[in-house]
Amino acid sequence: MATNFLQSIEKLEKRSNTLRHKLLSHSASKKFFTKSNLIAFRLRQRSGQLLAGAGLIGAILTMPTPSDLSVSAVSPGTTQSQPVENKLTVRQKLMTGLQELLPHQPTKLTPDSAEKVEKIIFENTGITAKAVLDDQSLNHHLGYIGFEQHLFRFPGDTLAQHDEIQEAGIAPGRGAFGYFAKDSGSFTTREYQREKYYCVVQTLYLESWNRDHKFLKDWYAIRKMIVINPVNGLAVVCDIGDAGPADWTGKQFGGSPETMQYLDLNKGPRKGLVLMLFVDDPDNKIPLGPINQ
Amino acid sequence: MSILFYDHLVVRTELEEQLHDIEGAENHKGKTLQLIDDILFQGIISLILDKLEPHHHHTFLSIVHERPYDPEIISYLKTHVGPNIEDEIRFEADKLVKMIILDLQSEN
């Protein structure tokens, strides 16, 4: 059977080559693709295999994993981070409180469930999380998150300039919402953090996307989210930096390499079921990053 | 991994079922998924270039490179190719998917 599968792969490779030759018969595409783009596109698709096949899984496995359970959260109406007492309990309460409420499959929460979940999150982190904010709601609040690559933060940015988890690679194009900074001169720590803790949600599949995508694109770009791994209680405040993943991947969300590391979802299949809700933070007081690391 | 602008026009259900039923190492399945994505990408871009006036090719390819996910690419194609471009892409994708399934079935 394995041999047959290899033969199928061979056939598909032939078909791909035929189509590539046809594509390159257009002079513009020849000029365009022979530089690097077609190769980059293939590399994007193969990134997971490259990580696994080049021995980089080992590197990922040796990366530090979340172990400390301190917490720094901001309550609505306050302006400074405040330590929450009983550090271990925060994570445990998130775990136990959410585990008994959440189905273990991709789901859109009912208003009743959402209210209970939001209450647990607020009581344990001080963060106002919302399943629905400004009449916006994702198609899934609970879904599978996948390990994403780094994103270009400004024109001319390179993977080498990203200081952590470079083995994740970098996506070939800009994120769906553009660069984080217009140029390297305006790249501040804020934008550095935005890429470090970015997440990906399926805006393309929103019911009103094709009708209102201009408004929605602005609304969702760098929107602050809270992502919680209900299996271990680890949580990260992140911002929406890209759109996806495609439905056929079986995943509903994506997370930056750092986000996935802090959720402890950077090993093995690098995928897991998480809760993803909006953060209601109109005054921008809640910092991006792990909240109970 | 970003969504590509035509993803919503490609029905992959049969492909997924076919791949699910095939026994094989995960890395082979990964390779197959990559090839399938390449085939769909190349086939759909070829179709568009066949229909788009040559002087628009560079602009179109540049947009795809810079913003592969942007739904405005479809709007651009509606303006420069025609209002039925989504149906045409859908039809081409179906044809490609059928060919891929044949490739997969012929050896399994």
Side-chain angles (χ1 to χ4, degrees):
Chain A
M1 189 61 84
T3 306
N4 289 341
F5 203 176
L6 289 174
Q7 287 170 341
S8 291
I9 289 175
E10 203 174 310
K11 280 196 165 192
L12 290 172
E13 277 174 340
K14 279 182 190 164
R15 191 173 293 286
S16 174
N17 284 336
T18 306
L19 284 165
R20 184 150 47 96
H21 284 130
K22 183 173 182 297
L23 182 59
L24 294 177
S25 68
H26 295 276
S27 58
S29 66
K30 192 169 187 177
K31 185 180 167 189
F32 195 84
F33 285 111
T34 47
K35 283 183 183 173
S36 65
N37 298 320
L38 191 58
I39 297 166
F41 180 80
R42 285 171 170 238
L43 285 175
R44 177 165 74 88
Q45 310 308 310
R46 285 169 41 198
S47 61
Q49 291 172 274
L50 289 170
L51 279 169
L56 292 170
I57 287 293
I60 290 171
L61 288 172
T62 57
M63 284 190 296
T65 54
S67 55
D68 190 356
L69 298 175
S70 64
V71 66
S72 176
V74 177
S75 301
T78 65
T79 56
Q80 293 179 332
S81 292
Q82 297 173 345
V84 175
E85 289 183 2
N86 196 347
K87 294 174 180 177
L88 188 61
T89 311
V90 171
R91 182 171 158 186
Q92 285 182 323
K93 279 186 178 176
L94 268 182
M95 284 165 65
T96 52
L98 293 174
Q99 281 178 0
E100 64 188 24
L101 276 178
L102 301 175
H104 201 70
Q105 60 188 11
T107 305
K108 182 164 187 164
L109 297 175
T110 63
D112 280 353
S113 297
E115 195 178 337
K116 288 175 188 166
V117 166
E118 290 163 2
K119 188 165 179 279
I120 289 171
I121 295 171
F122 180 72
E123 284 175 351
N124 292 287
T125 68
I127 290 173
T128 305
K130 292 286 179 190
V132 181
L133 183 65
D134 296 348
D135 293 327
Q136 293 300 319
S137 178
L138 294 172
N139 292 346
H140 297 88
H141 301 123
L142 193 68
Y144 286 103
I145 189 169
F147 188 99
E148 299 288 332
Q149 295 179 299
H150 286 290
L151 292 177
F152 288 114
R153 299 167 295 188
F154 50 83
D157 189 21
T158 63
L159 179 60
Q161 295 177 72
H162 290 248
D163 54 4
E164 288 190 65
I165 321 179
Q166 291 185 1
E167 58 271 28
I170 193 161
R174 292 183 303 177
F177 303 107
Y179 292 114
F180 291 87
K182 66 177 182 183
D183 53 42
S184 59
S186 55
F187 178 62
T188 65
T189 304
R190 182 183 65 176
E191 284 77 34
Y192 166 86
Q193 290 288 89
R194 282 178 174 172
E195 191 280 336
K196 186 170 184 175
Y197 298 112
Y198 84 85
C199 60
V200 179
V201 299
Q202 294 178 311
T203 48
L204 190 71
Y205 299 130
L206 294 171
E207 192 187 344
S208 55
W209 178 257
N210 285 331
R211 191 177 62 247
D212 299 327
H213 74 263
K214 283 183 180 162
F215 164 77
L216 294 174
K217 196 172 173 179
D218 286 344
W219 196 90
Y220 279 91
I222 60 168
R223 172 68 52 181
K224 208 173 275 181
M225 309 294 288
I226 182 168
V227 53
I228 301 174
N229 182 348
V231 171
N232 56 23
L234 291 167
V236 179
V237 174
C238 54
D239 61 304
I240 299 175
D242 201 357
D247 262 349
W248 62 268
T249 62
K251 291 176 274 193
Q252 290 73 39
F253 311 122
S256 69
E258 288 89 344
T259 298
M260 294 298 278
Q261 177 176 290
Y262 285 115
L263 293 170
D264 202 19
L265 291 173
N266 58 325
K267 307 180 202 77
R270 299 180 300 155
K271 171 185 171 184
L273 198 70
V274 296
L275 187 67
M276 178 80 77
L277 298 177
F278 301 120
V279 173
D280 190 8
D281 182 31
D283 298 323
N284 195 26
K285 290 175 180 168
I286 298 172
L288 298 175
I291 61 168
N292 52 1
Q293 185 209 359
Chain B
M1 185 171 68
S2 290
I3 286 172
L4 299 176
F5 68 96
Y6 55 75
D7 273 348
H8 63 296
L9 304 173
V10 182
V11 180
R12 296 173 183 252
T13 319
E14 271 189 86
L15 277 175
E16 286 165 14
E17 287 169 1
Q18 187 72 34
L19 269 177
H20 184 264
D21 292 341
I22 297 176
E23 287 177 20
E26 281 306 309
N27 60 334
H28 290 159
K29 288 199 177 184
K31 172 77 176 171
T32 306
L33 280 171
Q34 171 224 326
L35 282 166
I36 290 170
D37 233 7
D38 279 352
I39 289 168
L40 289 167
F41 176 76
Q42 291 158 353
I44 289 168
I45 299 293
S46 280
L47 167 87
I48 292 167
L49 293 178
D50 285 345
K51 294 186 175 295
L52 194 62
E53 292 289 338
H55 62 276
H56 292 309
H57 284 190
H58 182 77
T59 303
F60 165 69
L61 291 170
S62 298
I63 299 170
V64 171
H65 175 56
E66 287 175 13
R67 307 192 301 273
Y69 142 95
D70 200 332
E72 287 187 18
I73 295 173
I74 294 288
S75 305
Y76 177 87
L77 293 174
K78 281 182 179 171
T79 304
H80 294 287
V81 176
N84 297 325
I85 187 63
E86 282 180 296
D87 289 338
E88 293 183 65
I89 293 174
R90 200 177 278 121
F91 182 77
E92 181 69 15
D94 285 348
K95 206 169 76 180
L96 290 164
V97 165
K98 283 187 174 67
M99 288 194 302
I100 293 166
I101 288 173
L102 279 177
D103 285 345
L104 290 171
Q105 284 176 339
S106 61
E107 298 293 343
N108 293 286

